[in-house]
Amino acid sequence: DFATKFGRPMSDVNEAVFQTISASMGDSEESVRSFVDVAGQAATAGFTNLETAVNALSNITNTYSDSLEENETKAMRAKKVADAMFAANKFGKTTFGEMSQFISKAAVTASSAGVRFEEVTAALAAMTKKGINTAESSTAINQALLGVLSPTKKSEKLFKRLGIAFGPAALESKGFAGVLEEVAQKTGGNTKALKMLFPNVRAFKAVLALASDGGAEFNKILAQTNDMVDAGTITSEKFGEVSQTLG
């Protein structure tokens, strides 16, 4: 009984089931229940409501649906999405609710370039850890991804001159962290060069925050995030802790 398990009114649970079906997160009772279970745990662990959790997890899961592995259900992918978000909560200064509200655009851009969601949340954690709020960080990450995907003509010339890979193929093969690490190496962290590569003020803010130390902090958080997602326990652990506290 989800109403009892999550301490939510039955009307909220019924609405969550309806949202789950509407978002194509399940085509059977079992698959719908599996997704709602993940969303309920995330909502409780993230101190937010079921509607927010279902919307966030379904939006991002659908965004990455083309990369579903064989026999991987959408509920399984939603669990990985939630785990990545709670890793960002652990390593950065952001909340599940804030990420649910602001991270979608960056996720859509990242997915289109073959960049894993874990890289988006790790970048967000690294930026918010430096005091940049979630909304600003999410926008900046999105602009930085766009700056690599489709640089201006002037920026493209400098990318080529410095021997830095750019475009969709670079992001897909190296990842966002890999591209920024190369940017840091080839520019020596020179702010003038970084500004020329990423003239958009928001993109520049993200690159400066993520590559100023050669990408070390970003890569460290990414490795920790990957470990947590692979372990697959952080959402359920957080849910257990919060449930015990509230219970």
Side-chain angles (χ1 to χ4, degrees):
D1 183 348
F2 288 146
T4 302
K5 181 176 181 178
F6 303 128
R8 310 277 174 167
M10 197 63 212
S11 58
D12 287 4
V13 174
N14 289 337
E15 181 61 28
V17 169
F18 176 75
Q19 284 180 273
T20 298
I21 295 169
S22 298
S24 302
M25 288 296 103
D27 53 9
S28 67
E29 182 180 350
E30 181 184 0
S31 59
V32 169
R33 285 183 64 84
S34 294
F35 182 86
V36 173
D37 190 35
V38 172
Q41 291 188 51
T44 300
F47 295 97
T48 190
N49 56 55
L50 265 174
E51 181 181 7
T52 296
V54 171
N55 279 338
L57 297 180
S58 62
N59 286 344
I60 296 166
T61 298
N62 277 331
T63 295
Y64 280 90
S65 61
D66 288 345
S67 64
L68 284 172
E69 297 174 6
E70 189 177 357
N71 299 322
E72 182 184 14
T73 66
K74 287 188 175 180
M76 291 175 185
R77 177 55 63 92
K79 181 68 162 53
K80 292 178 181 177
V81 169
D83 285 342
M85 292 171 77
F86 282 111
N89 169 248
K90 179 179 177 67
F91 299 122
K93 293 180 180 178
T94 184
T95 68
F96 181 85
E98 289 171 337
M99 284 181 276
S100 296
Q101 186 176 357
F102 296 115
I103 206 169
S104 289
K105 281 187 179 179
V108 169
T109 303
S111 174
S112 71
V115 173
R116 295 165 62 242
F117 183 62
E118 289 86 343
E119 289 207 68
V120 179
T121 59
L124 186 70
M127 290 188 69
T128 57
K129 188 176 180 180
K130 293 186 175 183
I132 306 168
N133 68 43
T134 303
E136 194 172 354
S137 294
S138 298
T139 300
I141 291 164
N142 186 50
Q143 289 299 321
L145 285 164
L146 290 171
V148 176
L149 276 171
S150 184
T152 65
K153 288 185 178 180
K154 283 186 177 180
S155 298
E156 185 176 325
K157 287 180 181 178
L158 185 56
F159 269 110
K160 289 178 177 177
R161 198 169 83 209
L162 293 174
I164 302 170
F166 65 93
L171 282 169
E172 188 169 359
S173 62
K174 295 173 179 288
F176 187 38
V179 170
L180 290 188
E181 188 174 357
E182 186 175 22
V183 166
Q185 290 171 351
K186 296 290 177 69
T187 63
N190 181 279
T191 54
K192 185 177 180 181
L194 292 174
K195 181 65 176 174
M196 290 174 68
L197 286 170
F198 297 91
N200 178 282
V201 65
R202 293 179 177 86
F204 176 64
K205 175 171 278 191
V207 173
L208 200 60
L210 297 172
S212 59
D213 60 353
E217 184 67 15
F218 180 15
N219 277 288
K220 177 184 174 182
I221 292 175
L222 177 57
Q224 292 171 319
T225 298
N226 287 335
D227 287 345
M228 285 195 160
V229 172
D230 288 343
T233 59
I234 186 171
T235 301
S236 54
E237 286 174 357
K238 289 275 289 183
F239 168 70
E241 290 170 7
V242 174
S243 295
Q244 191 172 28
T245 302
L246 296 177

